[in-house]
Amino acid sequence: MSGPRIAPDLLALVGRLIEAAPAGRPARIAIVGAQGSGKTTLARAAAHAFGAAQISIDDVYLTRAEREAMARDVHPLFVMRGPPGTHDLGLLDDLMDQLSAAGPDDTTWLPDFDKRGDDRLPRDRWRPYHGRPSAILIDAWCLGVEAEAAAALDRPVNALEQTRDADGRWRAAINDRIAGPYRAFADSLDAILFLQAPSFDVVLDWRCQQEADLLGIDPADLPADERARLADFIQYFERITRRMLAGGVTADVTVKLDRNRVPGSIAG
């Protein structure tokens, strides 16, 4: 299929980050980047190669009921999973602590999220991780992003913000969470590896490739209405993605990708 392949240099880079982390506990490393950048694929491959545990931030979305409560109490757009504020960072912290304290015979149960059902799976359907990992690899699209100045939030970046967040309450609430719990969580990590897309323009193509792979078809055969749906969907992520691509991200290592996800220069 057309999805990302793992460059050996990227896999070796993750290995070096694991080795450079403090001794005495599993390294805590985030692999971040825009939708479709290959962060989950890299995290899974590195987990297999180095005996690490892989957790996607998607796995710790708030439950549907919790997001419905946020939609009532904060802003209706928070019913959509993905933006900062819709993850259970406390659960993610607890999982990392459990993995760090695990002995060779212990089992840590890692959550899974049912994207079709739009809810976290019950605990009896979580996946087991046996023993103590060498590292905990978290793939997350938004970890490390830096909060914006309040004035920067005044101007909407797309039709979603213009029509459904006209007063800016949703993006202001997201920005507060970026500055608060998401910054604190990012600062607790040993390293952040940022896979930098060449521009926001490629994100729709990458996201369409992901969907085509899930459907088992060539990206060129993805129906036009599905591409239009995905174009609407990525608007929820556009502001933060553009900010990260413009340099508004705290990362220990940045790898520039071309539009085919081939890594180029490495900084950090």
Side-chain angles (χ1 to χ4, degrees):
M1 281 297 163
S2 54
R5 291 178 173 83
I6 300 302
D9 288 350
L10 284 184
L11 202 58
L13 175 58
V14 177
R16 291 195 297 274
L17 291 174
I18 292 173
E19 290 179 357
R25 60 162 174 79
R28 298 181 174 193
I29 297 168
I31 301 174
V32 306
Q35 291 181 326
S37 59
K39 57 188 178 294
T40 303
T41 304
L42 175 57
R44 287 175 177 168
H48 178 75
F50 302 114
Q54 175 266 335
I55 305 173
S56 174
I57 201 168
D58 293 2
D59 296 331
V60 296
Y61 285 135
L62 296 176
T63 65
R64 176 77 187 189
E66 289 168 331
R67 285 180 283 116
E68 287 175 345
M70 282 193 74
R72 291 191 302 270
D73 298 341
V74 185
H75 192 282
L77 288 178
F78 274 115
V79 76
M80 175 62 74
R81 65 182 186 264
T86 64
H87 308 99
D88 190 338
L89 296 183
L91 172 59
L92 189 51
D93 262 327
D94 288 345
L95 293 169
M96 292 197 300
D97 288 343
Q98 290 176 45
L99 288 165
S100 297
D105 298 323
D106 291 333
T107 298
T108 303
W109 292 91
L110 305 179
D112 271 322
F113 193 90
D114 177 9
K115 292 185 177 180
R116 291 189 181 277
D118 193 27
D119 214 345
R120 191 184 303 155
L121 291 174
R123 284 182 176 269
D124 60 3
R125 295 179 63 187
W126 290 13
R127 56 191 172 96
Y129 186 89
H130 301 294
R132 187 171 185 257
S134 66
I136 303 164
L137 305 178
I138 302 165
D139 57 272
W141 75 278
C142 59
L143 282 179
V145 66
E146 297 170 353
E148 293 184 272
L153 303 174
D154 291 341
R155 184 168 179 245
V157 300
N158 55 35
L160 173 75
E161 291 188 356
Q162 186 171 15
T163 60
R164 300 184 63 188
D165 186 37
D167 61 3
R169 285 190 301 115
W170 176 64
R171 51 191 184 267
I174 288 174
N175 201 54
D176 288 344
R177 286 160 175 79
I178 289 171
Y182 284 75
R183 171 48 48 193
F185 186 87
D187 288 345
S188 75
L189 300 172
D190 296 315
I192 296 177
L193 168 58
F194 177 38
L195 303 179
Q196 185 178 26
S199 71
F200 184 76
D201 295 338
V202 305
V203 175
L204 177 58
D205 286 338
W206 287 357
R207 187 64 186 82
C208 288
Q209 287 175 357
Q210 284 183 316
E211 195 68 18
D213 286 349
L214 289 172
L215 296 173
I217 62 175
D218 190 272
D221 296 327
L222 193 71
D225 59 346
E226 182 63 12
R227 185 177 176 89
R229 182 189 70 80
L230 292 171
D232 288 341
F233 177 66
I234 65 172
Q235 290 187 70
Y236 286 86
F237 309 87
E238 182 172 355
R239 173 178 290 274
I240 292 173
T241 302
R242 287 188 181 277
R243 175 144 178 80
M244 295 176 75
L245 294 179
V249 59
T250 302
D252 298 275
V253 181
T254 296
V255 179
K256 291 183 179 294
L257 306 178
D258 68 13
R259 68 178 303 108
N260 295 314
R261 306 184 192 84
V262 175
S265 64
I266 297 175

